[in-house]
Amino acid sequence: MKRIFLIVLDSCGAGEMPDAAKFGDFGVNTLKSCSTSSKLHIPTMVHCGLGNIEGLSFLGTDPAQTGACARMAEASMGKDTTIGHWEIAGVVSPNPLPTYPNGFPEEVLKPFREATGRGVLANAPWSGTEVIAKYGAEHMRTGDLIVYTSADSVFQIAAHEDIVPLEQLYEYCRIARKILVGKHGVGRVIARPFEGEWPFHRTPRRHDFSIEPPQQTVLDAIVAAGKDMIAVGKIHDIFAGHGMTEFVYTTGNTDGLAKTMAYADKEFTGLCFVNLVDFDMLYGHRRDPDGYARALHEFDAWLPDFLAKLGEDDMVIITADHDTGGMTIGVDKGNNNPTFADIDWRRMSKGRFQDYCTQHTDLTWDAVKEVMAENLGLWSHIPVSESEEAALKASFNEFKNNAAATDKTLYKDFSRFSSDVFSLVNRKNGIGFTTYSHTGNPVPVFAVGKGCELFSEINNNIEIPRRFRKLLNLEEK
């Protein structure tokens, strides 16, 4: 075995584990959710055998599959990125990393404020985009840092790049990382820079500061054996820089795929470990099954050219680190009585709404508000708060002043205004993923190339590093 490419589709899960209820996860299955989207088209992965995995036949099956396929169950007590990747690399975590559903205690915040010389805003679980819309203006007035968490074991610091230069933000994260140890040893401290004017937008210059693995991983064993261990994307940060001979960061899935393709053109002996974070960061946590499906299609369309570059002694393994959730209608924030009557009033698709706005060049806010009320139910059926209306109005004005501002997808470039409108409609009615957070469910794994037969049936994640050792002729420890 010469080269192994291990590609993690971050959060792409395949159904419940037996203990899912312990984590509050019921009926969640990311791939099942994506299968409800008309944007899902993944013929290459289906041909490799993805749909032949137990419980994934809804994706379509192929009796002439070209790879080996399986479902991998997590042995660790946790469901986040750090624990998932650690287990893939051979470390089982018997205890979950700490989370803070009520915000961080004063014993954490007091030394952080003293060391940074800045105050703290928010200090609660928040959506990353919503927290900067809520506290961004106050942050710019006061210089206080926006500190927040999520359902995961993370301490996140958001700051406007005009107020806190990037390197200074990274230094604040290093300070937090030194404070967050022991019982407060969160999995990651994350720098979340943003820019622009209210409601602001996050930049791609995020940086993760992870807790160090508690023991050596298969990455360390590969390096100790004198082989190459190449990290692509946030792999370097997840393992705190341990056990790698080379690393490169990425700005998102598209950049990650390009850099992985470039490594396929290079000679090396060992492992190329890739994380594609957009699945989780942009779509799973934002409850966007269409976006997730489009990202899967982008990966699938990229895959044939990549597979063509593999030699006889190469192999690619595609898997995930955790699940993100199932897609539902009407279940959100305590509403457990879904009914399709809640969305009977919707008479306009996102595409039609955008076309309407684009075609009416003299459109005013009052006029478009009336269109949204009549065709989307906003205000007429869905209560809209003053802050939510202000955010939509600001997005509309940006659209009128800069029609080129778009959210690019594989199928169409949507104006940010239309994206913001439909995001609000869906969020208000619980249309999207059942959970914004990770879920404790099995993930698919399928392998193509020499030795791929080792990756089949249902196994614990811990089997992956053991089989790496075998394929790379490393001693088992």
Side-chain angles (χ1 to χ4, degrees):
M1 182 62 59
K2 182 174 176 58
R3 303 187 303 175
I4 299 175
F5 291 86
L6 172 59
I7 303 175
V8 175
L9 311 186
D10 202 304
S11 82
C12 188
E16 285 185 338
M17 280 180 61
D19 65 348
K22 293 181 181 179
F23 295 88
D25 304 324
F26 301 92
V28 288
N29 184 328
T30 298
L31 283 171
K32 182 70 172 178
S33 301
C34 292
S35 71
T36 66
S37 170
S38 62
K39 312 303 181 186
L40 187 67
H41 183 60
I42 50 172
T44 305
M45 286 192 280
V46 170
H47 185 46
C48 288
L50 181 60
N52 291 356
I53 294 174
E54 179 185 347
L56 298 185
S57 59
F58 55 81
L59 295 172
T61 60
D62 191 328
Q65 68 182 58
T66 57
C69 57
R71 279 206 310 175
M72 306 298 287
E74 193 167 21
S76 297
M77 283 301 293
K79 56 179 184 177
D80 58 67
T81 292
T82 301
I83 283 181
H85 281 77
W86 282 359
E87 186 167 319
I88 288 173
V91 177
V92 173
S93 303
N95 299 304
L97 296 172
T99 56
Y100 295 87
N102 299 312
F104 297 98
E106 188 63 15
E107 64 186 286
V108 169
L109 296 182
K110 184 175 185 291
F112 179 72
R113 288 194 300 264
E114 292 174 348
T116 61
R118 293 180 182 267
V120 167
L121 300 172
N123 188 31
W126 274 91
S127 154
T129 53
E130 292 177 2
V131 76
I132 60 175
K134 172 73 172 178
Y135 292 100
E138 185 176 354
H139 157 73
M140 296 194 73
R141 287 195 309 271
T142 65
D144 292 345
L145 300 170
I146 302 172
V147 173
Y148 66 104
T149 187
S150 70
D152 305 324
S153 182
V154 292
F155 182 98
Q156 304 185 86
I157 309 172
H160 196 288
E161 292 189 10
D162 288 347
I163 303 299
V164 180
L166 205 57
E167 287 303 321
Q168 187 177 26
L169 176 59
Y170 294 161
E171 180 58 27
Y172 290 158
C173 288
R174 294 186 188 99
I175 290 171
R177 181 71 277 173
K178 291 177 181 178
I179 294 170
L180 292 159
V181 294
K183 68 178 182 179
H184 295 305
V186 297
R188 287 171 293 158
V189 175
I190 306 176
R192 293 287 196 178
F194 62 94
E195 60 186 4
E197 298 181 354
W198 188 87
F200 310 108
H201 59 272
R202 298 198 292 190
T203 77
R205 292 175 283 279
R206 155 191 174 157
H207 190 63
D208 293 27
F209 297 80
S210 291
I211 190 171
E212 294 187 359
Q215 64 192 64
Q216 288 204 330
T217 69
V218 72
L219 281 64
D220 298 297
I222 291 170
V223 174
K227 298 182 184 293
D228 299 301
M229 187 21 251
I230 301 166
V232 178
K234 66 178 186 178
I235 297 299
H236 174 273
D237 294 345
I238 292 169
F239 290 92
H242 289 271
M244 50 200 69
T245 56
E246 182 178 341
F247 71 91
V248 61
Y249 289 124
T250 63
T251 58
N253 278 10
T254 301
D255 185 42
L257 294 175
K259 286 174 176 170
T260 303
M261 188 73 80
Y263 278 116
D265 288 326
K266 295 181 180 180
E267 287 293 319
F268 67 88
T269 300
L271 176 66
C272 181
F273 198 167
V274 181
N275 175 279
L276 299 176
V277 69
D278 284 357
F279 292 107
D280 188 42
M281 183 175 70
L282 296 186
Y283 309 116
H285 281 288
R286 297 187 187 181
R287 300 165 59 107
D288 182 1
D290 283 343
Y292 209 116
R294 286 191 295 266
L296 286 170
H297 174 68
E298 178 189 24
F299 176 76
D300 193 85
W302 168 89
L303 199 52
D305 288 341
F306 174 76
L307 293 176
K309 294 179 181 291
L310 299 183
E312 291 184 357
D313 290 328
D314 298 335
M315 180 173 66
V316 59
I317 302 167
I318 302 166
T319 188
D321 54 338
H322 57 76
D323 187 279
T324 298
M327 198 272 286
T328 187
I329 293 177
V331 180
D332 189 24
K333 297 181 180 178
N335 171 18
N336 294 312
N337 297 294
T339 166
F340 284 94
D342 291 342
I343 57 172
D344 277 350
W345 35 259
R346 185 183 293 196
R347 301 181 180 89
M348 188 175 281
S349 67
K350 183 176 177 180
R352 282 188 58 208
F353 176 73
Q354 169 153 310
D355 291 343
Y356 177 89
C357 294
T358 303
Q359 292 163 6
H360 292 76
T361 56
D362 58 345
L363 195 62
T364 65
W365 170 247
D366 288 339
V368 77
K369 185 175 175 180
E370 185 175 334
V371 170
M372 288 188 283
E374 182 177 349
N375 294 282
L376 301 178
L378 291 173
W379 291 279
S380 60
H381 293 80
I382 304 174
V384 179
S385 69
E386 290 184 5
S387 61
E388 288 166 341
E389 179 172 350
L392 286 184
K393 188 173 182 179
S395 183
F396 171 75
N397 289 334
E398 181 184 9
F399 166 71
K400 294 290 289 183
N401 296 329
N402 181 20
T406 60
D407 288 335
K408 295 183 180 296
T409 74
L410 291 172
Y411 296 90
K412 184 171 182 176
D413 291 355
F414 284 99
S415 73
R416 289 177 188 161
F417 173 55
S418 59
S419 295
D420 289 344
V421 168
F422 275 78
S423 176
L424 178 64
V425 171
N426 289 342
R427 186 172 71 249
K428 286 284 192 175
N429 286 277
I431 301 171
F433 286 93
T434 47
T435 170
Y436 290 100
S437 61
H438 301 163
T439 50
N441 298 328
V443 296
V445 56
F446 57 102
V448 177
K450 184 176 181 180
C452 69
E453 65 277 1
L454 292 176
F455 298 86
S456 59
E457 303 177 347
I458 299 178
N459 298 281
N460 285 331
N461 277 347
I462 197 67
E463 291 300 318
I464 290 182
R466 290 172 180 162
R467 292 169 195 185
F468 284 163
R469 289 179 180 274
K470 183 174 183 179
L471 290 167
L472 294 172
N473 297 315
L474 304 178
E475 290 185 9
E476 180 67 57
K477 294 183 180 180

